[in-house]
Structure formats: structure tokens, C-alpha cells
Coordinates of all heavy atoms in Angstrom, one line a residue:
E1 N 112.7 120.5 97.1 CA 113.1 119.1 96.8 C 112.0 118.2 97.1 O 111.8 117.2 96.4 CB 114.3 118.8 97.7 CG 115.6 119.5 97.3 CD 116.8 119.2 98.1 OE1 116.6 118.7 99.3 OE2 117.9 119.5 97.7
F2 N 111.2 118.4 98.2 CA 110.1 117.6 98.5 C 109.0 117.6 97.4 O 108.5 116.5 97.0 CB 109.4 118.1 99.8 CG 108.1 117.4 100.2 CD1 108.1 116.2 100.7 CD2 106.9 118.1 100.0 CE1 106.9 115.6 101.1 CE2 105.7 117.5 100.3 CZ 105.7 116.2 100.9
I3 N 108.8 118.7 96.8 CA 107.8 118.9 95.7 C 108.3 118.2 94.5 O 107.6 117.4 93.9 CB 107.5 120.4 95.5 CG1 106.8 121.0 96.7 CG2 106.7 120.5 94.2 CD1 106.7 122.5 96.6
N4 N 109.6 118.4 94.1 CA 110.1 117.9 92.9 C 110.3 116.4 93.0 O 110.0 115.7 92.0 CB 111.4 118.6 92.6 CG 111.3 120.0 92.2 OD1 110.2 120.4 91.7 ND2 112.3 120.9 92.5
E5 N 110.8 115.9 94.1 CA 111.0 114.4 94.2 C 109.8 113.6 94.2 O 109.8 112.5 93.7 CB 111.8 114.2 95.5 CG 113.3 114.6 95.5 CD 113.9 114.5 96.8 OE1 113.3 114.0 97.8 OE2 115.1 115.0 96.9
N6 N 108.7 114.2 94.6 CA 107.4 113.5 94.6 C 106.5 113.9 93.4 O 105.4 113.4 93.3 CB 106.7 113.8 95.9 CG 107.4 113.1 97.1 OD1 107.3 111.9 97.3 ND2 108.1 113.9 97.9
K7 N 107.0 114.9 92.6 CA 106.2 115.3 91.4 C 104.8 115.8 91.8 O 103.9 115.5 91.1 CB 106.2 114.2 90.4 CG 107.5 113.8 89.8 CD 107.4 112.7 88.8 CE 108.7 112.4 88.1 NZ 109.8 111.9 89.1
F8 N 104.8 116.6 92.9 CA 103.5 117.1 93.3 C 103.1 118.4 92.6 O 104.0 119.3 92.3 CB 103.5 117.4 94.8 CG 103.5 116.2 95.7 CD1 104.1 116.2 96.9 CD2 102.9 115.0 95.3 CE1 104.1 115.1 97.7 CE2 102.8 113.9 96.1 CZ 103.4 113.9 97.3
K9 N 101.9 118.7 92.4 CA 101.4 119.9 91.9 C 101.3 120.9 93.1 O 100.9 120.4 94.3 CB 100.0 119.8 91.3 CG 100.0 119.0 90.0 CD 98.6 118.8 89.4 CE 98.6 118.0 88.1 NZ 97.3 117.8 87.6
F10 N 101.5 122.2 92.9 CA 101.5 123.1 94.1 C 101.2 124.5 93.6 O 101.3 124.8 92.4 CB 102.8 123.1 94.8 CG 103.9 123.7 94.1 CD1 104.3 125.0 94.4 CD2 104.6 123.1 93.1 CE1 105.4 125.6 93.8 CE2 105.7 123.7 92.4 CZ 106.0 125.0 92.8
T11 N 100.8 125.3 94.5 CA 100.7 126.8 94.3 C 101.5 127.5 95.3 O 101.6 127.0 96.5 CB 99.2 127.3 94.3 OG1 98.7 126.9 95.6 CG2 98.4 126.6 93.2
K12 N 102.1 128.6 94.9 CA 103.0 129.4 95.8 C 102.4 130.7 96.0 O 102.0 131.3 95.0 CB 104.4 129.4 95.3 CG 105.4 130.3 96.1 CD 106.7 130.3 95.5 CE 107.7 131.1 96.3 NZ 109.1 131.1 95.6
S13 N 102.3 131.2 97.2 CA 101.7 132.5 97.4 C 102.4 133.2 98.6 O 103.1 132.6 99.4 CB 100.2 132.4 97.7 OG 99.9 131.6 98.8
T14 N 102.1 134.5 98.7 CA 102.7 135.3 99.8 C 101.7 135.3 101.0 O 100.6 135.7 100.8 CB 103.0 136.7 99.4 OG1 104.0 136.6 98.3 CG2 103.6 137.5 100.5
F15 N 102.2 134.9 102.2 CA 101.3 135.0 103.3 C 101.4 136.3 104.0 O 100.4 136.9 104.4 CB 101.7 133.8 104.3 CG 100.9 133.8 105.5 CD1 99.5 133.4 105.4 CD2 101.4 134.1 106.8 CE1 98.7 133.3 106.6 CE2 100.6 134.0 107.9 CZ 99.3 133.6 107.8
N16 N 102.7 136.7 104.3 CA 102.9 138.1 104.8 C 104.3 138.5 104.3 O 104.9 137.8 103.5 CB 102.7 138.2 106.3 CG 103.6 137.2 107.1 OD1 104.7 136.9 106.6 ND2 103.1 136.7 108.2
S17 N 104.9 139.5 104.9 CA 106.1 140.1 104.4 C 107.3 139.1 104.7 O 108.4 139.3 104.0 CB 106.4 141.4 105.1 OG 106.5 141.3 106.5
T18 N 107.2 138.2 105.6 CA 108.3 137.3 105.9 C 108.0 135.8 105.6 O 108.8 134.9 105.8 CB 108.6 137.4 107.4 OG1 107.5 137.0 108.2 CG2 109.1 138.8 107.7
T19 N 106.8 135.5 105.2 CA 106.4 134.1 105.0 C 105.7 133.8 103.7 O 104.9 134.6 103.2 CB 105.4 133.7 106.1 OG1 105.9 134.0 107.4 CG2 105.0 132.2 106.1
T20 N 106.2 132.7 103.1 CA 105.6 132.2 101.8 C 104.9 130.9 102.0 O 105.3 130.1 102.8 CB 106.7 132.0 100.8 OG1 107.4 133.2 100.6 CG2 106.1 131.6 99.4
L21 N 103.7 130.8 101.3 CA 102.9 129.6 101.5 C 103.1 128.6 100.3 O 103.2 129.1 99.1 CB 101.4 129.9 101.6 CG 100.9 130.6 102.8 CD1 99.4 130.8 102.7 CD2 101.3 129.9 104.0
Y22 N 103.2 127.4 100.5 CA 103.2 126.3 99.5 C 102.0 125.4 99.8 O 102.0 124.7 100.8 CB 104.5 125.5 99.5 CG 105.7 126.2 98.9 CD1 106.5 127.1 99.7 CD2 106.0 126.1 97.6 CE1 107.6 127.7 99.2 CE2 107.1 126.7 97.1 CZ 107.9 127.5 97.9 OH 109.0 128.2 97.3
D23 N 101.0 125.5 98.9 CA 99.9 124.6 99.0 C 100.1 123.5 98.0 O 100.1 123.7 96.8 CB 98.6 125.4 98.7 CG 98.2 126.3 99.8 OD1 97.9 125.8 100.9 OD2 98.2 127.5 99.6
I24 N 100.2 122.3 98.6 CA 100.6 121.1 97.8 C 99.5 120.1 97.7 O 98.8 119.8 98.7 CB 101.9 120.5 98.5 CG1 103.0 121.5 98.5 CG2 102.3 119.2 97.7 CD1 104.2 121.1 99.4
V25 N 99.3 119.5 96.5 CA 98.3 118.5 96.2 C 98.9 117.2 96.4 O 99.7 116.8 95.6 CB 97.7 118.7 94.8 CG1 96.6 117.6 94.6 CG2 97.1 120.1 94.7
V26 N 98.4 116.4 97.4 CA 98.9 115.1 97.7 C 97.9 114.1 97.1 O 96.7 114.1 97.5 CB 99.1 114.8 99.2 CG1 99.5 113.3 99.4 CG2 100.1 115.7 99.7
P27 N 98.2 113.2 96.1 CA 97.3 112.3 95.6 C 97.0 111.1 96.5 O 97.8 110.9 97.5 CB 98.0 111.9 94.3 CG 99.5 111.9 94.6 CD 99.6 113.1 95.6
K28 N 96.0 110.3 96.1 CA 95.8 109.1 96.8 C 97.0 108.1 96.6 O 97.7 108.2 95.6 CB 94.5 108.4 96.3 CG 93.3 108.8 97.0 CD 92.1 107.9 96.7 CE 90.9 108.2 97.5 NZ 89.8 107.2 97.3
S29 N 97.3 107.3 97.6 CA 98.3 106.3 97.4 C 97.9 105.3 96.3 O 96.7 105.0 96.1 CB 98.5 105.5 98.7 OG 99.3 104.4 98.5
T30 N 98.9 104.8 95.6 CA 98.6 103.9 94.5 C 98.1 102.6 95.0 O 97.5 101.8 94.3 CB 99.9 103.6 93.7 OG1 100.9 103.2 94.6 CG2 100.3 104.9 92.9
S31 N 98.3 102.3 96.3 CA 97.8 101.1 96.9 C 96.4 101.3 97.5 O 95.8 100.3 98.1 CB 98.7 100.6 97.9 OG 98.9 101.5 99.0
D32 N 95.9 102.5 97.5 CA 94.6 102.7 98.1 C 93.4 102.0 97.4 O 93.5 101.8 96.2 CB 94.2 104.2 98.1 CG 95.0 105.0 99.1 OD1 95.5 104.4 100.0 OD2 95.1 106.2 99.0
D33 N 92.5 101.6 98.2 CA 91.2 101.0 97.6 C 90.1 102.1 97.6 O 90.3 103.2 98.1 CB 90.8 99.7 98.3 CG 90.6 100.0 99.8 OD1 90.1 101.0 100.1 OD2 90.9 99.0 100.5
S34 N 89.0 101.8 97.1 CA 87.9 102.7 97.0 C 87.4 103.2 98.3 O 86.7 104.3 98.4 CB 86.7 102.1 96.2 OG 86.3 100.9 96.8
S35 N 87.7 102.5 99.4 CA 87.2 102.9 100.7 C 88.1 103.8 101.4 O 87.8 104.3 102.5 CB 86.9 101.7 101.5 OG 88.1 101.0 101.8
S36 N 89.3 104.1 100.9 CA 90.3 104.9 101.5 C 89.8 106.4 101.5 O 89.1 106.8 100.6 CB 91.6 104.8 100.9 OG 91.6 105.2 99.6

């Protein structure tokens, strides 16, 4: 839900037999300036 509601790009992978990883790309805030 977090990924879908924010429309984030992500990759899913297996960490071990009991754990899955979600690597999520967080963009700059739309209010950010060039110095952020």
C-alpha cells in the first residue's frame, strides 16, 4: 500500500528463506530547491 499510494518505483528480492527485500526509490520533494 505504501508503494502504490505513493507511486514509487521498487525492486523486490529474496534476502533469505524468511525475509523479502523491497528497495524503493524515493524522489526529491516537489518543493525541493537545487540545494536540497
Side-chain angles (χ1 to χ4, degrees):
E1 290 178 345
F2 172 77
I3 292 170
N4 293 331
E5 289 171 7
N6 293 285
K7 298 179 172 59
F8 286 151
K9 295 179 180 179
F10 72 99
T11 57
K12 180 180 178 180
S13 59
T14 300
F15 182 69
N16 58 33
S17 60
T18 61
T19 306
T20 303
L21 293 182
Y22 285 85
D23 287 296
I24 300 168
V25 179
V26 177
K28 275 193 173 187
S29 170
T30 55
S31 61
D32 282 344
D33 57 36
S34 59
S35 64
S36 61

